[in-house]
Structures are given as C-alpha cells and as structure tokens.
Amino acid sequence: MAIRIPDIQGIVNRLKPARGQDVVETAPPEFSFTTFFKKKQKIAAFPEYDFERAGSLVEGEVPEGYTEIERYYVDKGRSLVIIGLNKRTNQYEYLLFEPKLSEFEYELLERLHEDMRSALILTDEELEKDKRVLLLEKIQELLHEYGIHLEESSLFRLQYYLIRNFIGWGRIDALMKDHYLEDISCDGHRIPLFLYHRKYRNVKTNIMFEPEVLNSLAITLAQRSGKHISTGTPMLDATLPDGSRLQLTLGTEVTTRGTSFTIRKFREEPFSPVELMEYGTFSAEMLVYFWLAIENQKSLLFIGGTASGKTTSLNAVSFFIPPMAKVVSIEDTREITLYHENWIASVTRETVSEGANIISMFDLLRAAMRQRPEYILVGEVRGVEAQTLFQAMNTGHTTFSTMHAGSVDAAIHRLENEPLNVPRNMITALNIVSVQALVYRGTERVRRSLEIVEIAGIDPSTGNLRVNTVFDYDPVQDVFSYKGRSQVYADIADRRGWSREQLEAEIARRKRVLQAMETQKIVDYVRVSRIFQAYHINPDLVTGNLDDLSRVLE
C-alpha cells in the first residue's frame, strides 16, 4: 500500500523544542521505509509499555558546564528530570529529558497526529471507553491501515508523544505530573520556563516556546479550564481540571514579552492537620487550640503573603468541623477540599455568553446566608464581600477566610479602609487571626505560623482594638510557645461549665490524639477526618484506642 508522508514542518515544529533547548535531540537510529512497510496483518492489541521489561526510553546526559545534583523519573522510563548545578551561574537548573525520535519517527508521528483528528470522531459506544485505551486502539488501527510494522521501542516512543499531546498537557505534561513542583511560570516566548521546586526552590528549565506554539498552548489551557481567551479579552483566571490555579495572558497586548501563564499546582489530597504538624507549620498545642475553637464556633482569619500557606491552613483546620454541620465554601478558583458530606462548594462565574450574568463572591455569600449554614468558608477576602462576611459573623455564622496582609495591624488597616470598609465594631466579631509566612531555616524555605492572635474587643478609653497573642514563633529555636492566656479558652470553659482543670485535661487529651496519629503515620486526609469525626461522636472510643487508632477506622 503506497502512502504519502506530507511536509513535516508544521506539526514537527510544534512537537520539537526550540533550537538550543531541544530535550529530545540525538543522533537518529537508522530507519528506512522498506523496513516498515509490510503487508496488512490482523490488528493486534497495542503493547503496554513496561519499564522492567522494555527498559528506559529516555537517556539523560548532563550537558557540559553542569554538575548533576539529582535525577528522578516523572514518568518512569519515559520522562526524566536532572537537577543540574550550572557551573557558570552557580544556580540549580531543571533539565527535562523525553524519548528521542528519529527523523522517520517524527514524520510518522506527524502523519498519526493529523489522521488522528478524524479518527477520534467517536461513536456512542466509544465515548464510554477509557480515553487512553481508545487512543491506543486508534493508533494501532492507523498503523495497520498504513501497512507499517514498527519495532516495539518505536511504538512506545510514538505512544508517549501521542498520549502526551492528545490526553496530557503537551510540552508541559511532565511538569504537571511532577509532584515536587508547586508553580510553573512562563514569562513569554523564547524565554525559559521557571519553576518553584519543593527542594530546590526557584529553578530555570531547558524548555521554551516559539510564539505560535505558546499561543496555541495558552488557548488549550483556557479551553481545558472551560474558559475563553482572545485578543479582545486577553487576561484569564481559571481552574484547570485537576484543580490547579491558572493565570493567563494572551499575546503582547498586556505582557510585552509575549503570552505568559502561571500555574499554581493543586495537591490532589489536601494537607491534613497532622501533616502540617509534621512539617512544623503548627505545633500540637496550636492545632488543639484550633480544634476546640472551631468546635465551639469561633471565627478565624488566616493572613500572610503570597505562598505562605494561608489556604492550605484554612483547609486543614476545617477538618475539625463537626461531622454533621452544614458547610458552605465560596471561592473564585476552587481550592478547598473537605471530607464532609453536608457541604456546598460554590465558585464564582464570569460571563460565558452574551446575556449571562456574572456571579461574584458577594452574590454567593449573600446566597449562602439564605442556606442556613453553620460554617462559611471564603477562599479570600479582597472586596465588597468583606462587609457581608463580617455581617455574617455578627449574626452568629462561624466564618473562616484568608487575606493578604503581613501582620495583624496591617490586616485591620486593610479591613477598615477602601475597598473593604468594614466598621471597627464589626471586626470584633472575628475571634482569631493566624499570621503565616514563608521563612528560611538555614537554606531551606519553610512555612510557619508566626503568631496566633485573638481579637479581644475595643478599648473603651482609646477606641482601638485590643488583641491578645496566644502563641508566637521563636525563629532561633524553631519552636512555638503558648503565652499562658487565652480569651477563647476562657469563653469555651465558661460556656461548657468546665473548671480550669477540666479544660486543661481536655486539651491534654486531644493533644495525645494528635501525637498518636503522627506516631502511627495516620496523615492522609480521609483517615484523619474519620478519627476527628469519631472523636466528636464518642471521645472515649478514640482515647481508648490510642495505642492502635486503626481499630477506630474499622
């Protein structure tokens, strides 16, 4: 069967990295058309790649001028990362290596890529199949139609790129799968991508894009998030299907160096309180404080700078909400994840078509007030919704939220002035403020709660807000200290009729539960939530099984 391989420049250029940044370039193996054009045979199932049997498809050679620090697979055998120290700049760099294609394989990949577009017009039966399985079937059908027989290693390389481009995220697919990465940042065309790595912090990559490729990727990211972007509306804030936050600008109208995007990656499983205790963000005593405060309907505000862990902490302490309480969360991009059945998760909406209404955080918060929630979680306070939020606090709704501010004084100043304009007497309904920061411990950057402060009312003589610091952080020793006085604890003891000894006994008991969970490595959010819920229903069941908390989960 004669087939025509069309001009390869179009798709091949989109698949290949920019000149000088080619992460797949190598001396091509010898291939000839006569080797691969065979008589049609019965279509066999597409072989599944197995690293143990087939070996690695990718080779990582450290470039000249670099010292290898660490290497690891993102996709075992198919995408390899080398962290290299650039000897000239003395900076870490993130070097990504993917399977190497010969010129013949590039041509065949282009043909498959083009023909796959029509092949993926699916029947109703096919729509129910797994995307990956269906794609592999279509690839094999096309190869059979071409009358081509390939070596297994070639099949695996083609499989990698077709799955990457049709189901994955194209050139940034490996970055999206790398669990060490928090942020992916593209500053413009022909500029290397920059990443925030959990171990190596800000690193430069060996990946960059030509203008047309970058614009195509930007449109794909917008479409995958269910939004529209164009030169008329060149800015976009959205949530990707995996929950990651996307900020995107198209072209050079807003960002003069070309299309740019930032992806703040979403952790599939939220951090539990026990994990934050392991990482040192909070101590066990601080988590017990939050536990009792939330159970007794105290309102919280987490403040701090960018990437200080505000939303992570908000999500983690929300695990202390009683199991049957009604919860409403309000966000502009979805980040909050709860293991809680009675929970309404709401997000804002921009205009999607002519005549459609914008649904703002203010609209959602106003609607939430009519839903009779016991707890309201607001992703971030930044506008007129602040007044409604504090009205909710003053009418007895327990609310948790986050806000950008470096200190309690700065937070109060923001709340009282434009555009928030919250009256001072309404701020007194807020009970607790936790100040978070990203700080250095030696060369490592870690997230810590710098202090936990209570709003203790208004001083009648001066009219200023009175605050009480309950916990503070010692950066020298990397420890937290309790200041010995808490109005929240005093209010809880008064409402429950506890003596000081009973309050201290309850604090000690809950602390033992948290420490037992840490010791027994019960850190995933589902099991942690179940133990907190079990404690709320029957504390004696949990405390009676502290030596083996798995019995509580049975």
Side-chain angles (χ1 to χ4, degrees), residues 59-71:
E59 297 176 6
E61 295 183 5
V62 181
E64 186 177 349
Y66 288 82
T67 301
E68 181 177 327
I69 304 300
E70 181 183 356
R71 68 169 60 201

Side-chain angles (χ1 to χ4, degrees), residues 346-509:
S346 54
V347 293
T348 59
R349 186 188 73 180
E350 300 174 4
T351 51
V352 291
S353 61
E354 187 176 350
N357 294 328
I358 295 175
I359 299 175
S360 65
M361 292 188 75
F362 175 77
D363 297 324
L364 292 173
L365 189 54
R366 188 171 54 184
M369 298 283 284
R370 303 190 185 102
Q371 294 167 348
R372 199 175 173 269
E374 294 173 70
Y375 294 85
I376 300 174
L377 279 57
V378 179
E380 183 179 345
V381 173
R382 61 167 71 92
V384 293
E385 70 276 358
Q387 293 185 31
T388 306
L389 182 71
F390 277 85
Q391 285 175 351
M393 288 186 198
N394 280 268
T395 54
H397 296 85
T398 305
T399 64
F400 309 157
S401 190
T402 70
M403 188 171 73
H404 281 274
S407 66
V408 176
D409 288 341
I412 292 171
H413 182 75
R414 274 200 68 195
L415 287 168
E416 290 185 329
N417 292 281
E418 293 284 349
L420 307 183
N421 292 323
V422 179
R424 181 167 294 184
N425 61 342
M426 291 181 68
I427 296 176
T428 58
L430 175 64
N431 302 111
I432 301 166
V433 179
S434 177
V435 184
Q436 311 245 158
L438 190 61
V439 301
Y440 276 99
R441 288 290 302 157
T443 59
E444 184 182 7
R445 295 184 80 183
V446 295
R447 292 175 173 88
R448 294 289 185 266
S449 176
L450 300 184
E451 60 178 348
I452 296 177
V453 175
E454 296 173 347
I455 306 297
I458 296 177
D459 189 323
S461 59
T462 64
N464 294 328
L465 283 171
R466 294 163 51 200
V467 297
N468 172 47
T469 301
V470 186
F471 295 92
D472 66 5
Y473 172 64
D474 178 0
V476 177
Q477 301 295 326
D478 193 30
V479 295
F480 303 95
S481 59
Y482 174 56
K483 308 307 287 185
R485 185 176 66 251
S486 167
Q487 182 173 305
V488 167
Y489 274 158
D491 288 346
I492 292 170
D494 186 53
R495 287 188 181 186
R496 292 203 169 189
W498 288 345
S499 65
R500 183 181 182 86
E501 290 74 20
Q502 287 174 309
L503 174 65
E504 290 177 350
E506 182 62 23
I507 292 170
R509 183 160 70 161

